[in-house]
Amino acid sequence: MSRGRNHLAFTSVRTEGGLLPSETLARIAAGDKDLPGLKAADYHLDKSERIGEAVNRSWSRLLGAWKSFKDELEKLPAADFATGLTRDRWLLPLFSELGYGRLPRSTTTELDGRSFPISHFWHHSPIHLLGCRIQLDRRARGVAGAAQASPHGLVQDFLNRSDDHLWGFVSNGFQLRVLRDHHSLTQQAFVEFDLQAIMEGEQYSDFLLLWMICHQSRVEGARPAECLLEQWFVQSAEEGVRALDALREGVEKAIEHLGAGFLRHPANDALRQALRSGELSAQDYYRELLRLIYRFIFLLVTEDRGLLLVGDDEAAKRRYLEHYSMRRLRELADRARPGRHGDLWHGTRVAMSCLELGCVGLALPALGSLLWRAETCRRLTDCELGNRDLLMAMQRLCFIRRDQRRLPVSWRNMGAEELGSIYEALLELHPTMNLDALAAGAGAGAAFSFDTAAGHERKTTGSYYTPTSLVDCLLDTALDPVIERAAAQLDPESALLALKACDPACGSGHFLIAAAR
């Protein structure tokens, strides 16, 4: 989750795998008193010194260091990984400003019979610094600390294997990632700062967040589990459980608003008659509403991750974002008082109809799946829906309430586990309708609501979501033996690359993604 319409926009910061969610980042930057360790003294500053003053001094010095580093980088041959230059002229000054002093070089660390050539350590924290021409997620042949595994993978594997190290950092000078012990194979977990964008775009607010999260005081402590990063992680995880409960409730309420909205619109006599006569059952009506909600969620996630639009036509992309997108509906739901018109639903129908075969004019791809076929939501797409009901549904989808505050949902950072939890909860709901109450002018909940019927829809459709814990167990028992046999062949690389994994009921691809990783 992240803050509302006036929240800090961290354009050069991303968080993956729920390590520190967007809401926690915003609270850190805002100095939220309910989070521990955000006073000046907690950063080892003098009583008369403020955090902002210390960050300003570091910012001024590092702007000069960055310019000097970039000037020298241009003089190096393109084939040079720039490791020495990146460390000496940029990353070591950066970590010095973050309170670590001048980090000494580390020797190769041995653990569980494996070598970990991590460049630097500070007490319990590995700090792996590489050249700016080395990618964090790819191996680089012949480069110490990137040859046997990607730099990210090297640090992550070390944290996973070591009982004495919990949090670490990896950077190539252009990106800086904060990592934690994280055993899941289904997704990575990190907070990443785009150093190049921050420094060249002079994005001070993002640098402030970097300073507050990566400062030496965040990882100090007699035991790794006592450090402030871990305290923030534990607190955000506990709050995340409550937020997920609130999000599931919000999705349920969004369906109620849509369900009642379609039923009460004056133009939808055919829908009401089909339900009264039994031609359309309440359960089939609910299935169409579910597919509509799945479409909304798909668009929210892909839009926020920048994965939906295709091609190089910037005008087409702008046309979609400004007139047809979920982002536009979310902004309207946050601030507008909707009227009784239905133009927003008309625009939404246009966008959804384009996603089966694609639309060059809106930069939309041809997805061609069952979800986007016209017949899967035929009843609803033939109906009308008022702006008020659509925006009320979007409000419940995109915002949750906590402690009298309305917080936006960060669909960008929603993982397979959270989406699966929502999906599973929806399958346990059984719709109830009261068309007479609707005619009498009752509220949405009286006309269309839910009872819980645990397992009903799952038993009839065979639909289940496999949580990460079971996926990991399946990998251990089914995939590991196959990998071990392949690795024992005369040509293990070819044998490994020849392996194939089949998941006939792949759903979200949870197992296949983990198998690939």
Side-chain angles (χ1 to χ4, degrees), residues 382-399:
D382 286 344
C383 288
E384 297 293 331
L385 181 66
N387 288 352
R388 179 183 182 279
D389 292 306
L390 178 57
L391 293 183
M392 288 298 293
M394 288 300 300
Q395 191 177 104
R396 298 309 298 260
L397 266 183
C398 297
F399 300 90

Side-chain angles (χ1 to χ4, degrees), residues 443-463:
F448 185 92
S449 59
F450 293 110
D451 291 329
T452 299
H456 172 73
E457 183 73 359
R458 282 186 285 179
K459 288 178 182 178
T460 57
T461 63
S463 300

Side-chain angles (χ1 to χ4, degrees), residues 394-426:
M394 288 300 300
Q395 191 177 104
R396 298 309 298 260
L397 266 183
C398 297
F399 300 90
I400 63 171
R401 297 201 67 84
R402 184 190 299 166
D403 300 330
Q404 305 304 313
R405 295 179 298 163
R406 193 171 71 179
L407 305 173
V409 174
S410 177
W411 286 103
R412 180 187 188 280
N413 296 308
M414 202 67 61
E417 187 113 13
E418 292 88 353
L419 292 172
S421 174
I422 294 168
Y423 170 68
E424 201 163 49
L426 293 177

